[in-house]
Amino acid sequence: MDFQHIVGHEDIIRHFKASIEMNRVSHAYIICGEADSGRRSLALSFAKTLQCEEGKIDPCNKCRSCVQADSGNHPDIIFVDHEKPQLVSVEDIRNNVVNTIDIKPYSSKYKIYIIEDGEMMNIPAQNALLKSIEEPPQYAIIIILTTTLDRLLPTIISRCITLSTKPVKERDIYDYLVDNFKIDDNKANFCVEYAQGNLGKAIKLATNEDYDRLVKSVINLETNIYKMDAESIAAVITDCEKSFKISMSEYLDLMMVWYRDILMLKVTGKIDKIMFKDQILTIREQSKYLSFNELEEKARAVDRAKIRIAANAKLEDIMKLLIMTLKEI
Ligand SMILES: [Zn+2]
């Protein structure tokens, strides 16, 4: 893993390289962006480059430090874990950062902490971390990965350099998928449209073992929504978790592709940009009886459901409410 192998994110990479070149590396960074958007690769590449014994703006990939970084066993690149699934607690931060930061690096120039799921840090955890960010030892660098800045204290944000990921170009994602996974044009386009600039998401879908059945499930839901009952909604949720291995939120993103297809057909009248190509009859039919307003309402309902999923509401309840709303529209 290094900068050269990262697709997109040119601005962030340029920032990292310039800071190394000018010897102005900060003690604290926030990398903000969607899950799977490449934040971890960016943080790891930056850390690996900083620790490389050659000390250049790209890692040499040969020295002991580079080898350790690649194997995931670098003693001075520390990924901060958390014990509870949706919470980074004050104990996590104390045990993994605060209590160890004063111990000098084991073998490298820096001691680099990468805190994943930064948005899951509660207030006490952030307050504990604040001290380490305010008065870090010379060698320490803290990189916080987060999906949103909203859950971070202003005092944390003000002391960090914040870098936000931007969507990767569709063409770059397409090329990456076709080059690496030998998938056909249709599937690559579908994954690109679904991922909306998020390479990790595109890869996850492209390599999903149950891809065909997953797409069929979305088609089935969108075609038969009027007769969906509690039982079939529960079946969709079980399928997502058990066979498709995707989150409900990702499933909702697939539903959005369907609505964008209808919108595309309504606006352009052309079928070449349609993703659910073999469903053109249904898409055309729905595009006739759904108005622009109704399509927008559907998209909004899906967005609301995603927000409720992120807030940890009960999946069954969220999906029941969503299906009910979609039926009414
Ligand atoms: Zn090296």
Side-chain angles (χ1 to χ4, degrees):
M1 175 51 64
D2 56 43
F3 293 135
Q4 283 181 32
H5 290 92
I6 291 179
V7 181
H9 308 306
E10 296 84 358
D11 293 353
I12 297 179
I13 293 171
R14 209 173 301 128
H15 177 97
F16 282 150
K17 286 188 172 184
S19 73
I20 296 171
E21 207 162 29
M22 296 189 291
N23 220 354
R24 292 184 61 178
V25 174
S26 167
H27 283 291
Y29 292 88
I30 294 170
I31 306 181
C32 181
E34 280 181 24
D36 301 320
S37 65
R39 302 166 305 160
R40 196 175 197 273
S41 303
L42 285 163
L44 188 56
S45 298
F46 184 43
K48 181 179 160 189
T49 310
L50 287 170
Q51 301 290 37
C52 173
E53 288 161 18
E54 299 268 314
K56 304 213 169 108
I57 58 168
D58 278 299
C60 74
N61 287 328
K62 288 183 194 127
C63 71
R64 203 170 80 121
S65 171
C66 281
V67 172
Q68 284 178 327
D70 282 336
S71 69
N73 290 314
H74 199 298
D76 297 316
I77 299 176
I78 300 131
F79 281 91
V80 177
D81 267 344
H82 50 101
E83 293 198 349
K84 295 197 179 119
Q86 296 293 329
L87 171 72
V88 179
S89 69
V90 64
E91 285 78 23
D92 294 321
I93 294 296
R94 276 202 194 116
N95 295 339
N96 300 315
V97 185
V98 180
N99 293 346
T100 63
I101 199 163
D102 288 327
I103 304 163
K104 288 200 171 112
Y106 184 75
S107 58
S108 298
K109 189 174 169 191
Y110 298 100
K111 188 163 188 173
I112 303 173
Y113 293 91
I114 300 174
I115 302 176
E116 297 184 274
D117 303 322
E119 74 281 358
M120 293 178 193
M121 282 191 287
N122 60 14
I123 303 293
Q126 293 188 48
N127 278 322
L129 181 66
L130 194 56
K131 270 197 154 177
S132 300
I133 291 181
E134 278 174 335
E135 293 159 15
Q138 202 47 41
Y139 50 76
I141 295 171
I142 294 171
I143 305 174
I144 302 169
L145 311 185
T146 184
T147 54
T148 171
L149 293 177
D150 295 350
R151 304 237 179 97
L152 296 179
L153 292 172
T155 41
I156 295 256
I157 296 172
S158 68
R159 283 170 179 82
C160 296
I161 290 181
T162 298
L163 303 164
S164 297
T165 61
K166 289 190 192 132
V168 177
K169 287 192 203 92
E170 290 189 350
R171 187 76 226 173
D172 293 344
I173 296 183
Y174 177 92
D175 289 344
Y176 187 89
L177 294 181
V178 171
D179 291 347
N180 286 278
F181 306 113
K182 312 279 171 254
I183 57 175
D184 65 32
D185 188 57
N186 266 349
K187 185 170 173 180
N189 277 323
F190 190 97
C191 294
V192 169
E193 175 61 31
Y194 153 79
Q196 297 284 294
N198 183 327
L199 179 68
K201 253 173 96 172
I203 295 173
K204 263 169 98 176
L205 183 62
T207 57
N208 191 305
E209 285 177 14
D210 236 338
Y211 173 86
D212 292 330
R213 224 164 62 77
L214 172 55
V215 172
K216 266 196 201 117
S217 159
V218 175
I219 293 169
N220 181 47
L221 185 144
E222 293 292 1
T223 316
N224 298 307
I225 206 158
Y226 60 93
K227 57 181 176 195
M228 296 259 319
D229 53 12
E231 209 174 304
S232 42
I233 295 169
V236 171
I237 297 174
T238 312
D239 259 351
C240 279
E241 287 167 349
K242 298 264 161 64
S243 28
F244 306 148
K245 308 264 185 326
I246 66 166
S247 69
M248 217 51 227
S249 172
E250 289 166 322
Y251 190 89
L252 297 184
D253 287 337
L254 282 163
M255 290 169 63
M256 289 296 268
V257 177
W258 180 270
Y259 299 130
R260 285 202 295 270
D261 264 5
I262 299 176
L263 188 65
M264 179 64 78
L265 191 66
K266 268 182 102 68
V267 174
T268 68
K270 290 180 187 155
I271 60 163
D272 53 329
K273 292 250 161 67
I274 302 296
M275 295 298 142
F276 287 95
K277 279 202 169 37
D278 53 351
Q279 297 302 310
I280 186 64
L281 290 179
T282 316
I283 302 256
R284 182 168 282 144
E285 194 191 314
Q286 294 196 2
S287 82
K288 277 181 194 148
Y289 67 72
L290 285 169
S291 68
F292 285 111
N293 264 345
E294 285 165 337
L295 270 174
E296 206 181 306
E297 269 180 63
K298 279 181 186 268
R300 260 206 303 270
V302 174
D303 274 338
R304 272 199 305 274
K306 282 182 69 177
I307 292 167
R308 296 186 65 210
I309 292 174
N312 282 325
K314 204 167 161 251
L315 276 185
E316 252 98 1
D317 297 343
I318 299 172
M319 286 305 284
K320 267 184 211 157
L321 181 66
L322 173 64
I323 302 286
M324 217 163 71
T325 314
L326 294 177
K327 271 185 195 174
E328 277 169 17
I329 304 168

